[in-house]
């Protein structure tokens, strides 16, 4: 995954952000290429949108340790992409703090949720986390680029096209969400 992400993260110093930044987007390496390498080499301003503040601070510390000489700025901001209200609040904070234009959003946040749960809007929670929240960010912040990180489970999705009100949970719901991401990529 690192090589694929790095290919799309050739930052030019403009503002960028990642959701799901507490997990493999930053810390795992493939062929010694990580997003942290891109940060080190091009010094962007990066915001990690994370729903878990403790994990966000740990990811921020790990990135700072991996990129000690970077002159780019790094922020962690609470954002639960399964909540449209949280996404709107996050986008509002980005705009009001003048961290626009957004160069790239890395849509990495995901979850396998079981038993089935729904958002207040009636959307299946896995789909909301993996697809809908990122789609709303795309609409609100209008980045120059959007990188959709997804898995190959889309090939076992039973709904075509992807269904935001998918009736199942667990891996089936995650496969449905992977299909949704693929359809938007």
């Amino acid at each position: 995954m690192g090589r694929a992400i790095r290919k799309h993260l050739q930052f030019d110093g403009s503002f960028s952000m990642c959701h799901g930044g507490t997990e493999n987007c930053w810390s795992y390496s493939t062929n010694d290429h990580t997003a942290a390498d891109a940060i080190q080499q091009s010094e962007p301003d990066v915001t990690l949108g994370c729903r878990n503040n403790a994990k966000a601070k740990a990811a921020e510390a790990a990135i700072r340790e991996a990129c000690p000489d970077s002159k780019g700025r790094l922020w962690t901001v609470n954002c639960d992409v399964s909540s449209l209200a949280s996404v709107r609040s996050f986008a509002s904070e980005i705009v009001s703090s003048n961290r626009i234009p957004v160069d790239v959003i890395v849509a990495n946040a995901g979850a396998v949720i079981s038993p089935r749960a729904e958002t207040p809007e009636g959307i299946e929670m896995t789909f909301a986390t993996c697809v809908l929240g990122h789609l709303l960010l795309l609409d609100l912040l209008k980045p120059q680029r959007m990188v959709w990180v997804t898995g190959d489970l889309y090939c076992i999705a039973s709904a075509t096209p992807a269904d935001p009100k998918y009736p199942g949970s667990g891996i089936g719901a995650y496969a449905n969400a992977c299909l949704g991401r693929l359809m938007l990529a």
Side-chain angles (χ1 to χ4, degrees), residues 13-41:
S14 59
F15 179 74
S16 305
M17 70 177 60
C18 176
H19 286 80
T22 60
E23 298 299 332
N24 56 356
C25 187
W26 303 106
S27 55
Y28 289 59
S29 175
T30 300
N31 299 322
D32 297 319
H33 298 295
T34 64
D37 293 331
I39 291 172
Q40 181 67 28
Q41 292 172 8

Side-chain angles (χ1 to χ4, degrees), residues 3 17 20 23-24 29 34 100 118 146 152 156 161 183:
R3 183 180 300 246
M17 70 177 60
E23 298 299 332
N24 56 356
S29 175
T34 64
I100 52 175
E118 290 184 357
M146 184 83 170
D152 58 4
I156 65 168
M183 292 172 71

Side-chain angles (χ1 to χ4, degrees), residues 3 10-11 19-21 32 35 60 87 91 96 132 140 144 147 163 175:
R3 183 180 300 246
Q10 298 302 315
F11 296 123
H19 286 80
D32 297 319
E60 180 179 358
V87 170
S96 67
L132 192 59
L140 294 173
Q144 294 176 17
V147 177
D163 183 359

Side-chain angles (χ1 to χ4, degrees), residues 31 43 51 53 67 124 136 161 165 167 176 182:
N31 299 322
E43 303 173 355
R51 71 174 172 247
N53 289 328
C67 308
E124 189 275 320
L136 180 58
K165 296 189 181 236
N176 178 65
L182 184 66

Side-chain angles (χ1 to χ4, degrees), residues 18 32 35 44 57-58 65 80 85 99 118 125 129-130 142-143 153 162 167 175 178:
C18 176
D32 297 319
K57 293 302 177 190
E65 183 178 332
D80 179 354
R99 288 185 259 175
E118 290 184 357
M125 189 68 74
T129 302
C130 297
K142 299 179 180 23
L153 286 177
C178 287

Side-chain angles (χ1 to χ4, degrees), residues 113 124 126-127 166 168-178:
I113 298 171
E124 189 275 320
T126 304
F127 192 90
Y166 184 80
S169 66
I171 295 299
Y174 186 69
N176 178 65
C178 287

Side-chain angles (χ1 to χ4, degrees), residues 69-134:
D69 299 324
S70 176
K71 293 176 181 52
R73 293 172 290 175
L74 176 64
W75 297 273
T76 56
V77 178
N78 186 268
C79 183
D80 179 354
V81 291
S82 71
S83 163
L84 298 182
S86 179
V87 170
R88 286 185 179 98
S89 175
F90 175 84
S92 178
E93 182 173 338
I94 296 302
V95 171
S96 67
S97 63
N98 203 30
R99 288 185 259 175
I100 52 175
V102 174
D103 179 41
V104 62
I105 294 175
V106 179
N108 186 59
V112 177
I113 298 171
S114 187
R116 188 178 190 286
E118 290 184 357
T119 67
E121 298 83 12
I123 304 299
E124 189 275 320
M125 189 68 74
T126 304
F127 192 90
T129 302
C130 297
V131 181
L132 192 59
H134 296 108

